[in-house]
Amino acid sequence: MNLRMTSYILGLLLLFEGAFMMIPTITAAVYHEQELLMFAVIALSCMLIGFLITRWKPKNKSLFPKDGFVICALSWIVLSVFGALPFVVSGTIPGFIDALFESVSGFTTTGASILHTLEGIPKSVLMWRSFTHWVGGMGVLVFIMAFLPIAGGRNMYLMKAESPGPSVGKLVPRVKTTAKLLYLIYFSMTLIQFVLLLVGGMPLFDSICISVATAGTGGFSCSPEGMNYSPFCLTVITIFMFLFGVNFSCYFLLLQKKFKETFTTELKVYLGIIAFAILTISLNVRHMFSTLSETVLHSSFTIGSLLSSTGFATVDFNEWPQYSRTLLVILMFIGAMAGSTGGGIKVSRIVILFKDMLNDLSAMIHPHQVKKVKMDGHTVDGEIIRTVHSFMTVYLIIYAISMVILSFDGLDLTTNFTAVVATLDNIGPGLNLVGPMSNFDVYSTTSKIVLIFDMLAGRLELFPMILLLTPSTWKK
């Protein structure tokens, strides 16, 4: 375990977090808010601590898989702890666990909240709350790798530990260049959405907050009135929620005009799920809206929000018919594509599991027949299949344990069931008491800590958080 390198990267993380916190500092200055000094002090404190840590540069910069997982888990914990300070110091969320819940929810792009209302909350705090989505969306370690040369050629371990999906590859030979390309695409798409929302008449402040929240597939609203925007703006948000749920490698291939490679099996399944969900749910909720266009708009928005794990809500889908609610929960489990900013189990894992199941069924009928799982004409490596099965095993264990602990709060089964899926899959809203028009403050402190762990585990694909708590990880 390279502890010196671990502390060095955590120092870099605090330097960047301090720099990121200048965004709400500027916001406070623009709106003449008293939180200006608070944000400035916290930002400078983060940078000072980061500077002091990074003064002692490690001689040995080598990283191994174990280091990558541990650094990834610790980075997100440190990021969230310091990110919670503005909520506590400003008095917006006085309790530290509640503030940590909000911070973790922001950085992991979950969008679950313990706030009852946004009325009276300073715009600088709201900006920080939404901006955490953008920081966490692509991954803070990916951001660091894009601008600083760390760990030589082994920094791929950091990207693999932080990036969502069963496998992570390099778009180009150098990891640093790959990270830069990912952030260039990420920033460009965010900027395009921002411009379109401005054109649609959305206020400047809201356009920034909604754009960064959509990009990170977060879900924090920035207005006490919620998502009460024009049909044009809601359509733009819907489209971009779906777009940010796509593997960013597809955009890179599209820019290179490699159209055949762009339309992968996973992308086709993702688009198929979207089309099926919009068609069937629109038919199921048609009687609840006055026009067909309104039906399709709100159905598409809700599906895009939950499938991409963004978590915005224009209507209380908790009141929708049973079929729609059931399908929406299934979409929460499935999630977006691997390599996107979305959460969930990921479409690629579902496809791999389904194909592997078919092979197993075929082997029962024809024992001597040898079949391999293939994706886009290529055989899926056995190691990837094994990892997918391990992921699902750990996922179900964490889910079961979380459900048992939450049950002691005495809330109903649907609330607990969807609260865990909403946090473990980084969705945001669930059903019943944690529905789109409710919040997670109904839970005890113990349950909130469990849900905080679930949000971190879900964003980091489970294994970094599990390995962090495994004693053998820390043995020499």
Side-chain angles (χ1 to χ4, degrees):
M1 187 73 190
N2 193 339
L3 294 177
R4 182 65 68 85
M5 191 63 190
T6 300
S7 61
Y8 178 71
I9 293 176
L10 291 178
L12 292 176
L13 175 77
L14 287 173
L15 282 171
F16 277 108
E17 184 165 20
F20 289 142
M21 217 168 279
M22 295 309 295
I23 300 294
T25 304
I26 294 170
T27 304
V30 170
Y31 289 97
H32 306 289
E33 294 177 342
Q34 62 182 12
E35 284 73 21
L36 170 63
L37 180 61
M38 175 200 73
F39 274 110
V41 170
I42 295 175
L44 291 173
S45 299
C46 286
M47 289 190 277
L48 177 61
I49 296 170
F51 171 74
L52 293 175
I53 294 174
T54 54
R55 283 191 66 187
W56 288 274
K57 295 184 178 180
K59 294 180 181 179
N60 177 19
K61 295 185 178 182
S62 297
L63 288 179
F64 296 92
K66 179 174 69 173
D67 300 305
F69 285 118
V70 171
I71 289 171
C72 183
L74 289 176
S75 293
W76 281 75
I77 292 172
V78 170
L79 185 75
S80 300
V81 168
F82 280 86
L85 294 180
F87 298 124
V88 177
V89 179
S90 68
T92 303
I93 308 175
F96 181 73
I97 295 299
D98 284 349
L100 183 62
F101 183 98
E102 202 79 9
S103 177
V104 169
S105 181
F107 283 116
T108 60
T109 73
T110 303
S113 179
I114 52 85
L115 292 173
H116 295 268
T117 178
L118 300 183
E119 198 73 50
I121 297 179
K123 287 190 179 295
S124 54
V125 176
L126 290 174
M127 175 62 75
W128 174 242
R129 185 170 172 262
S130 293
F131 190 65
T132 55
H133 286 327
W134 197 86
V135 175
M138 186 58 66
V140 67
L141 294 179
V142 174
F143 185 87
I144 290 175
M145 284 186 288
F147 296 97
L148 292 175
I150 58 173
R154 293 189 173 180
N155 48 17
M156 191 64 187
Y157 293 134
L158 294 177
M159 183 174 282
K160 285 184 175 181
E162 187 178 54
S163 300
S167 63
V168 178
K170 293 183 284 187
L171 302 182
V172 293
R174 294 186 64 200
V175 175
K176 183 178 179 180
T177 309
T178 295
K180 282 185 177 179
L181 285 170
L182 288 172
Y183 258 96
L184 179 61
I185 296 170
Y186 187 49
F187 177 79
S188 300
M189 290 175 64
T190 308
L191 183 61
I192 292 169
Q193 184 188 355
F194 166 70
V195 172
L196 289 174
L197 292 178
L198 279 180
V199 171
M202 186 180 289
L204 176 64
F205 179 80
D206 290 33
S207 296
I208 296 172
C209 291
I210 296 299
S211 295
V212 295
T214 306
T217 60
F220 281 151
S221 175
C222 58
S223 169
E225 298 178 0
M227 301 299 289
N228 187 25
Y229 302 114
S230 68
F232 174 83
C233 289
L234 293 180
T235 301
V236 169
I237 296 168
T238 300
I239 292 170
F240 275 89
M241 284 191 295
F242 285 127
L243 290 177
F244 280 109
V246 172
N247 190 325
F248 274 64
S249 297
C250 292
Y251 297 127
F252 176 74
L253 292 169
L254 197 61
L255 291 172
Q256 290 192 315
K257 298 181 179 180
K258 295 181 179 179
F259 302 113
K260 188 177 180 180
E261 291 91 335
T262 300
F263 288 92
T264 61
T265 301
E266 184 184 20
L267 179 58
K268 291 174 184 175
V269 172
Y270 178 68
L271 295 175
I273 291 171
I274 292 170
F276 174 80
I278 291 176
L279 176 62
T280 58
I281 288 181
S282 293
L283 290 172
N284 191 234
V285 301
R286 176 68 184 89
H287 65 284
M288 301 184 71
F289 298 95
S290 56
T291 64
L292 179 60
S293 60
E294 188 181 2
T295 304
V296 174
L297 173 61
H298 290 293
S299 297
S300 301
F301 187 97
T302 303
I303 291 162
S305 179
L306 297 184
L307 184 63
S308 68
S309 80
T310 305
F312 287 137
T314 55
V315 293
D316 188 1
F317 54 79
N318 196 41
E319 301 297 326
W320 283 7
Q322 194 64 37
Y323 170 79
S324 294
R325 295 170 73 223
T326 302
L327 186 55
L328 289 176
V329 172
I330 292 172
L331 295 181
M332 291 182 193
F333 278 106
I334 294 172
M337 292 174 63
S340 69
T341 58
I345 293 172
K346 303 294 182 299
V347 175
S348 59
R349 283 198 181 96
I350 301 297
V351 173
I352 289 172
L353 287 169
F354 184 75
K355 289 192 172 189
D356 193 44
M357 177 197 70
L358 291 180
N359 284 353
D360 286 345
L361 290 174
S362 179
M364 292 177 187
I365 302 170
H366 308 286
H368 300 293
Q369 189 180 51
V370 178
K371 276 192 173 183
K372 294 185 177 180
V373 176
K374 289 190 175 183
M375 291 271 283
D376 305 310
H378 301 286
T379 300
V380 178
D381 189 85
E383 181 66 20
I384 293 176
I385 297 174
R386 185 191 64 78
T387 303
V388 169
H389 283 286
S390 297
F391 175 90
M392 290 307 302
T393 301
V394 175
Y395 180 92
L396 292 173
I397 291 172
I398 293 176
Y399 202 102
I401 293 174
S402 299
M403 282 284 291
V404 169
I405 297 175
L406 262 60
S407 68
F408 287 104
D409 280 0
L411 304 181
D412 65 277
L413 182 62
T414 301
T415 296
N416 290 339
F417 184 86
T418 56
V420 177
V421 69
T423 50
L424 189 56
D425 291 319
N426 304 130
I427 306 297
L431 296 176
N432 284 11
L433 297 180
V434 290
M437 303 305 163
S438 306
N439 60 70
F440 282 72
D441 200 33
V442 293
Y443 283 106
S444 65
T445 299
T446 301
S447 293
K448 286 174 185 174
I449 292 172
V450 171
L451 296 174
I452 286 171
F453 175 85
D454 287 348
M455 287 189 283
L456 287 168
R459 173 58 184 85
L460 301 180
E461 302 284 287
L462 309 184
F463 297 117
M465 292 301 294
I466 295 298
L467 290 173
L468 182 69
L469 302 177
T470 304
S472 59
T473 301
W474 301 95
K475 292 180 181 178
K476 293 184 178 180

